[in-house]
Amino acid sequence: MLDTQGRNEPDTLNSDTPEQDLPALDIPKHERRVQTVIQDLPVETLCGRISRGALILQPEFQRNFVWNSTKASRLIESLLLNIPIPVVYVAEAAGGKQDVVDGQQRLTSISAFVAGTFPGPSGQKRDFKLSGLQVLNELNGKRFSDLDSATQNLILEATLRVIVIKAESHPDVKFEVFERLNLGAEKLNDQELRNCVYRGRYNTLLAQISQYKPFLDIQGLSAPHNRMADRQLILRFFALQRLTHLHYRGNMKQVMNRELEDHRDPSDAALKHLEELFTRSIDMAWAVFGPRAFRRYQPGTATQPDGMWEERLNFALWDTLLYTFSFYQKSDIIPNADRIYEEFLDVMTYDATFAEYVTSTGDKADRVRYRADTWRRRMDAVVGPPRSDSRTFSRKLKKALFEADSSCAICSQQIQTLDDAEVDHIVHYWRGGQTIPENARLTHRYCNRARGGRED
């Protein structure tokens, strides 16, 4: 189960795959160097860029500002004492803007002091007065506006070294740079780094659907994970579902990077499709397994005949089960939920290779393909091939039913216009009902929606 406090668990938060199992990155030789520009910029210039939105301190992917006022004040003191400040890294983004990659806390502290307000939790702000200064203690309690002009100029004219990572740098090389920047600090996990590199509407979607209630229930969470582990799970699913297990060649980290790089700003229709694909697949997983979804089952032994379920969500089962569910409709799965559950217990008990490939770490291509092929065959044996028929009746049929008898099958009153009418499945589609005239009835659009019981 994911840790709601954000503590790192061995193979869920820190990395996608243990380092010893990662294949080499597939990067052309001529693109293996990151392209950078070094700039020494005055505080005044940096504050100006921040205030007009050209330098983005805290895009939605970044962690919150966490420094207290004393730590921020001592950074200001360091500027006044001419103590070197660590290098700031920024990355070129769309529209000529730059995203802060490393140095967010420092730049936020400096710009906040110059602006006069200290950023607090949930957007709360208060006067930024220096505190906790040990050398220039006479400045304690002073705002920027309280300082004399000479002291203000010392701050505004202090320079910070900024390394700009150019947009044309290869995205996987750029990702490695961001990852290594965090080695000496509180290490960001892969998804936090990924969000830093591949900013766009796709990231916004990941944040949005991480709040989906059945998904939270499956993880055992009451709110989205504060270290983005849930977003990484969603991205794994989308990346593998688009690529398919047949074309997967290994290195899930690189596959997820490429998914965000190539599709960072999808159309509205594409975003809607992704959201519906994920929520539908999660609904099916919850219908079959409930809170045991994506957990490993260990069968009993001669000495301990009782089997047991692991509590923590298993990445291999996440990839395998959710990926397979995505090719079906609820009408395929829900009537067969109990049989699918039993089939899973059977494959975990009697297919030693499947159980091994679920247990072992790593995302090697042969293991991903074996798990996907094996489970798909099992699903087909229980459910049959995924349904391809539409769930929507034609307007032609609606018109024919309306002209034959315009009364509502639910309230029995007359339907006044064709647009107020809706064709409903007599046997629900999600229960296996077919989209054929024999399974159709005419209802008020309102009555049908108010009745409930529909799949959506």
Side-chain angles (χ1 to χ4, degrees):
M1 154 178 327
L2 296 178
D3 188 331
T4 57
Q5 301 303 313
R7 292 185 291 267
N8 290 349
E9 296 188 14
D11 56 13
T12 55
L13 299 183
N14 269 336
S15 62
D16 305 313
T17 307
E19 291 183 6
Q20 63 270 23
D21 290 336
L22 286 176
L25 293 174
D26 183 17
I27 304 172
K29 287 186 177 180
H30 66 282
E31 297 183 29
R32 292 180 183 177
R33 290 178 63 87
V34 66
Q35 299 185 45
T36 61
V37 172
I38 299 175
Q39 299 175 340
D40 291 320
L41 300 175
V43 164
E44 188 170 19
T45 299
L46 291 168
C47 289
R49 291 184 181 181
I50 292 167
S51 64
R52 67 174 186 270
L55 182 60
I56 303 173
L57 283 178
Q58 195 175 6
E60 69 274 8
F61 56 76
Q62 272 281 20
R63 66 177 63 174
N64 293 327
F65 180 67
V66 297
W67 280 14
N68 58 36
S69 57
T70 298
K71 189 169 185 178
S73 295
R74 289 177 179 173
L75 178 68
I76 304 302
E77 185 181 43
S78 295
L79 291 177
L80 291 170
L81 295 173
N82 200 30
I83 296 173
I85 306 298
V87 173
V88 171
Y89 286 82
V90 301
E92 289 185 337
K97 297 181 179 181
Q98 295 175 338
D99 290 334
V100 176
V101 176
D102 189 62
Q104 177 215 7
Q105 306 293 318
R106 282 165 272 150
L107 289 178
T108 300
S109 298
I110 294 169
S111 61
F113 181 65
V114 172
T117 54
F118 188 83
S122 304
Q124 299 174 358
K125 294 183 178 181
R126 64 178 190 272
D127 283 351
F128 190 167
K129 298 179 180 180
L130 295 174
S131 61
L133 303 188
Q134 296 174 314
V135 179
L136 304 177
N137 52 21
E138 68 276 9
L139 299 182
N140 284 325
K142 292 186 179 292
R143 297 178 287 257
F144 180 79
S145 59
D146 297 329
L147 302 176
D148 58 58
S149 58
T151 305
Q152 289 181 354
N153 287 334
L154 281 176
I155 294 172
L156 295 174
E157 294 172 3
T159 59
L160 275 68
R161 173 148 292 191
V162 178
I163 295 182
V164 182
I165 301 171
K166 305 291 288 181
E168 53 266 30
S169 299
H170 190 283
D172 286 326
V173 173
K174 193 159 53 174
F175 185 90
E176 289 296 313
V177 170
F178 298 162
E179 186 173 35
R180 294 174 196 192
L181 285 175
N182 287 278
L183 292 178
E186 181 184 350
K187 192 177 186 299
L188 300 179
N189 64 50
D190 283 347
Q191 190 60 28
E192 290 169 321
L193 288 166
R194 193 172 285 115
N195 276 273
C196 193
V197 180
Y198 310 112
R199 185 173 174 234
R201 300 182 77 197
Y202 202 142
N203 270 324
T204 302
L205 174 70
L206 297 179
Q208 175 186 330
I209 60 180
S210 69
Q211 303 176 56
Y212 187 54
K213 181 63 164 57
F215 178 46
L216 291 171
D217 291 340
I218 282 174
Q219 298 172 87
L221 299 177
S222 58
H225 199 280
N226 62 3
R227 295 295 307 277
M228 301 186 188
D230 41 12
R231 301 189 202 182
Q232 177 168 296
L233 287 172
I234 301 169
L235 180 61
R236 283 179 73 98
F237 166 67
F238 285 148
L240 186 59
Q241 211 276 341
R242 189 192 303 273
L243 183 65
T244 78
H245 71 288
L246 298 174
H247 295 95
Y248 177 73
R249 297 292 180 264
N251 199 326
M252 186 63 76
K253 178 188 288 189
Q254 194 170 19
V255 169
M256 289 192 285
N257 290 351
R258 189 65 61 245
E259 172 73 8
L260 277 177
E261 169 68 14
D262 293 345
H263 309 284
R264 67 171 68 193
D265 284 306
S267 66
D268 289 343
L271 289 170
K272 182 178 180 181
H273 166 74
L274 288 172
E275 181 174 7
E276 291 178 347
L277 178 69
F278 178 75
T279 55
R280 187 184 80 239
S281 302
I282 284 291
D283 287 346
M284 288 186 277
W286 180 259
V288 174
F289 296 103
R292 288 176 172 169
F294 315 115
R295 269 69 176 184
R296 177 185 168 217
Y297 173 76
Q298 298 184 56
T301 64
T303 56
Q304 180 59 49
D306 293 332
M308 63 170 290
W309 290 85
E310 290 185 351
E311 291 189 9
R312 192 165 62 184
L313 188 147
N314 182 287
F315 272 13
L317 289 175
W318 170 268
D319 293 340
T320 304
L321 301 183
L322 198 64
Y323 170 74
T324 306
F325 280 139
S326 72
F327 296 101
Y328 290 87
Q329 299 296 325
K330 291 182 185 178
S331 55
D332 300 309
I333 301 303
I334 293 177
N336 296 289
D338 289 346
R339 295 174 63 200
I340 296 169
Y341 186 96
E342 291 297 326
E343 196 69 25
F344 176 75
L345 295 179
D346 188 84
V347 73
M348 290 298 298
T349 301
Y350 296 108
D351 190 326
T353 303
F354 187 91
E356 177 190 350
Y357 287 177
V358 164
T359 304
S360 56
T361 58
D363 297 311
K364 294 180 179 178
D366 60 332
R367 299 181 180 188
V368 170
R369 287 195 290 270
Y370 182 88
R371 294 194 305 256
D373 287 336
T374 298
W375 183 242
R376 182 62 177 267
R377 286 194 298 270
R378 293 269 187 155
M379 287 283 289
D380 285 350
V382 172
V383 181
R387 292 179 62 173
S388 59
D389 60 313
S390 171
R391 64 166 295 165
T392 306
F393 290 103
S394 68
R395 183 174 177 82
K396 180 179 178 181
L397 176 62
K398 182 169 77 167
K399 185 176 181 182
L401 292 174
F402 183 81
E403 292 174 349
D405 182 359
S406 62
S407 60
C408 172
I410 296 176
C411 73
S412 301
Q413 299 185 56
Q414 293 298 307
I415 304 172
Q416 298 302 314
T417 68
L418 184 62
D419 287 343
D420 288 331
E422 189 165 83
V423 183
D424 179 40
H425 290 80
I426 298 172
V427 177
H428 290 304
Y429 182 87
W430 63 270
R431 290 189 180 275
Q434 294 179 284
T435 308
I436 56 177
E438 293 79 8
N439 193 41
R441 65 177 184 172
L442 196 70
T443 70
H444 276 113
R445 189 176 298 275
Y446 169 78
C447 290
N448 192 35
R449 302 292 174 175
R451 176 176 69 96
R454 296 172 60 87
E455 175 186 6
D456 296 335

